[in-house]
Amino acid sequence: MKREDLEAARDRVIPDVAAGGLRVLFCGINPGLMSAATGHHFARPGNRFWPVLHLSGFTPHRLAPAEQDELLTYGLGITNVAARATARADELSAQEFREGGRILTAKVERLRPRWLAVVGITAYRTAFDDKKARVGPQERTIGDTRIWALPNPSGLNAHWTAETMAEEFARLRAAAMAG
């Protein structure tokens, strides 16, 4: 995809893949330019979300970003903390994260998923003003919805491999299946 096509996508909003009563609503930080250009979540080729989702057992096969609507058949969905597309998440302001956290809270109150999985610990910390949060289940809830902070699957996150991410996603999957 040409750079000018990606830049033109900055103003596009990617619709959520969501429904009421999901087992897990995954929440990305914000759409990247490739996602905005294609209309598909986690669309950048180096992003490890789709491979990790499969490796952790959430899906029976590796989905392509264009197959994102299939997530609903597994009781899964995707949204974002912030709607604005950027080349890098660090282009978002703390205010955008906090406002995104308020919007996300209202969305979760309406959709009532069993778990909200925020994909990116820094995004979770900023959006929910919880500077000490660690990857894993959180004490905070939104109504009856439990929250799990997951590592960011971006290829820029060198602290986690696809395998160690899959282990953390699998811990969430076990909790989501248990109730």
Side-chain angles (χ1 to χ4, degrees):
M1 188 164 285
K2 295 179 186 171
R3 183 75 185 154
E4 53 269 16
D5 294 334
L6 293 176
E7 287 300 326
R10 283 188 185 268
D11 296 329
R12 293 191 192 133
V13 175
I14 299 176
D16 292 340
V17 176
L22 296 170
R23 279 191 300 133
V24 180
L25 178 61
F26 289 96
C27 180
I29 297 170
N30 73 308
L33 297 181
M34 180 70 75
S35 291
T38 63
H40 305 298
H41 295 271
F42 300 104
R44 188 168 186 82
N47 193 292
R48 297 170 290 182
F49 178 79
W50 298 106
V52 167
L53 202 63
H54 171 60
L55 287 171
S56 64
F58 272 110
T59 60
H61 63 276
R62 181 175 166 178
L63 299 175
E67 298 172 302
Q68 65 187 16
D69 290 340
E70 191 175 320
L71 288 174
L72 296 173
T73 65
Y74 306 120
L76 308 173
I78 305 178
T79 188
N80 286 295
V81 173
R84 184 168 72 92
T86 60
R88 294 176 50 107
D90 61 9
E91 294 176 41
L92 297 171
S93 70
Q95 178 58 34
E96 285 176 287
F97 277 110
R98 285 190 294 275
E99 178 63 19
R102 286 189 285 278
I103 293 167
L104 179 59
T105 296
K107 189 177 299 185
V108 168
E109 288 171 343
R110 182 173 41 86
L111 296 174
R112 300 176 61 189
R114 202 173 300 158
W115 285 90
L116 171 66
V118 180
V119 183
I121 187 65
T122 302
Y124 174 79
R125 288 175 182 152
T126 307
F128 291 99
D129 195 29
D130 186 351
K131 293 171 184 42
K132 295 184 181 188
R134 300 284 180 252
V135 168
Q138 305 301 307
E139 289 185 27
R140 173 191 308 265
T141 62
I142 300 173
D144 291 333
T145 299
R146 302 274 323 269
I147 302 173
W148 197 292
L150 290 167
N152 184 342
S154 167
L156 299 174
N157 180 0
H159 299 291
W160 290 78
T161 66
E163 292 74 22
T164 57
M165 269 188 245
E167 290 170 9
E168 190 61 32
F169 275 58
R171 288 181 58 220
L172 166 61
R173 181 179 170 271
M177 298 299 284

